[in-house]
Amino acid sequence: MFATLLHEVPLQGGDVTDGVVRVGDTVRRPASPATPAVHALLRHLEAAGFEGAPRVLGIDGLGREVLSYLPGTTGVSLVAVSDEALAGVAGLLRGFHDATAGFPLSGYRWEGGSNDDAPPQIIGHCDLTPDNVIFRDRAPVAMIDFDLARPTTRLFDVVTTLRHWAPIADPVDRHPLLRGVAVGERLRAFCDVYGVPPRERRRLLELARLRFHRSYDVMRTRAAAGGNWARMWAGGAGERIRRASAWLDSHEDELHAHLV
Ligand SMILES: Nc1ncnc2c1ncn2[C@@H]1O[C@H](COP(=O)(O)OP(=O)(O)O)[C@@H](O)[C@H]1O
Ligand SMILES: [Mg+2]
């Protein structure tokens, strides 16, 4: 018999993980201390019938995690910046949070990161950037890259997602396609589809500010350890957080008016 030699195709689009490759209908990614937790979560999602995440296929001979490859596109595009896409991402996040119900909120080792002070309610994705959402037929159909998933509040994960999709960012740091969008209206539209209750909407921008502050500290600490985080820090990641935070401060009243 002939052994089938499957070609390894590097996958780009992420910032963080070196060595993400496609092999046939699978994706191989380096394992981390959080991999057992992430795999338990992905198996839980599969059992719950949630279609918007890759399936776990195991660990390969090189110690890499093996996930199903989800066809489609990722990243900022004309389609991804549309109102329909934003609504789709809000629905995807809501479906994901609901599907994590019943998954233990303690007892697993997750990657750390900034967080809400309120007690965790769900497992959050905590990194739902445009590079981590798969689009197919113009619709966001799945989330990938659960490396930063962890127990948190629904609102914290909503805020993290809006940071990238509203986006809550200084226009100088936005993708050109997102420079002129009506951020206040997009915050509201996202909350409407997700079903964020009024008292949480009132807390949303305050939590966004807290998150910027904490994310800055977390990133600086990670950067000090070297590797890709250090490269991202040297590339201005910290300054972008500071600018986003200042932009939020100067637009907070106007944005808040859309939420309440
Ligand atoms: N399961 C998957 N199905 C399809 N594409 C994937 C999958 N996993 C990763 N990719 C592609 O590879 C890119 C980088 O992978 P990702 O898991 O996001 O790593 P990183 O930690 O570097 O962001 C993604 O933006 C996406 O384009
Ligand atoms: Mg990614």
Side-chain angles (χ1 to χ4, degrees):
M1 292 299 290
F2 298 104
T4 313
L5 240 182
L6 285 169
H7 199 56
E8 303 218 342
V9 183
L11 289 172
Q12 262 126 38
D15 279 327
V16 179
T17 314
D18 289 330
V20 181
V21 295
R22 176 177 176 183
V23 183
D25 291 336
T26 72
V27 170
R28 316 289 169 114
R29 303 174 82 260
S32 81
T35 299
V38 171
H39 285 191
L41 175 66
L42 293 177
R43 291 198 163 102
H44 173 95
L45 295 175
E46 180 174 11
F50 179 70
E51 298 287 335
R55 300 303 182 216
V56 181
L57 303 170
I59 303 285
D60 73 9
L62 298 175
R64 302 175 298 189
E65 65 168 341
V66 187
L67 304 172
S68 60
Y69 176 82
L70 304 172
T73 58
T74 54
V76 177
S77 64
L78 270 174
V79 164
V81 303
S82 68
D83 294 347
E84 293 76 14
L86 183 74
V89 171
L92 184 64
L93 189 69
R94 177 66 197 241
F96 163 65
H97 288 167
D98 290 352
T100 71
F103 192 87
L105 294 175
S106 62
Y108 281 99
R109 174 169 179 187
W110 302 98
E111 180 70 41
S114 58
N115 219 326
D116 202 343
D117 290 325
Q121 301 164 321
I122 43 94
I123 307 296
H125 181 284
C126 298
D127 193 23
L128 203 59
T129 63
D131 283 337
N132 289 337
V133 173
I134 304 274
F135 277 79
R136 203 179 303 142
D137 300 328
R138 305 180 59 86
V141 293
M143 42 178 76
I144 54 170
D145 191 357
F146 288 74
D147 286 354
L148 299 184
R150 54 188 180 265
T152 188
T153 60
R154 286 176 178 270
L155 192 65
F156 189 83
D157 212 17
V158 164
V159 163
T160 301
T161 304
L162 286 171
R163 153 71 167 134
H164 304 289
W165 289 89
I168 306 175
D170 188 311
V172 301
D173 295 316
R174 293 185 205 165
H175 187 286
L177 290 173
L178 284 165
R179 239 163 239 162
V181 296
V183 174
E185 283 165 33
R186 287 169 66 86
L187 292 175
R188 185 195 184 110
F190 189 99
C191 289
D192 286 348
V193 173
Y194 182 96
V196 178
R199 68 169 188 289
E200 299 274 273
R201 292 184 196 214
R202 282 193 289 277
R203 194 167 82 88
L204 195 149
L205 296 178
E206 189 189 313
L207 187 59
R209 199 175 333 101
L210 183 72
R211 182 185 167 279
F212 281 137
H213 184 71
R214 292 183 176 171
S215 298
Y216 185 91
D217 282 348
V218 167
M219 273 216 152
R220 187 174 48 190
T221 305
R222 282 186 175 141
N228 282 346
W229 291 103
R231 191 176 45 73
M232 282 166 69
W233 190 258
E239 287 148 41
R240 283 191 291 278
I241 295 175
R242 290 289 198 229
R243 276 194 296 272
S245 189
W247 181 85
L248 174 60
D249 286 344
S250 56
H251 293 81
E252 185 158 347
D253 292 349
E254 172 205 330
L255 298 175
H256 195 71
H258 286 274
L259 287 166
V260 295

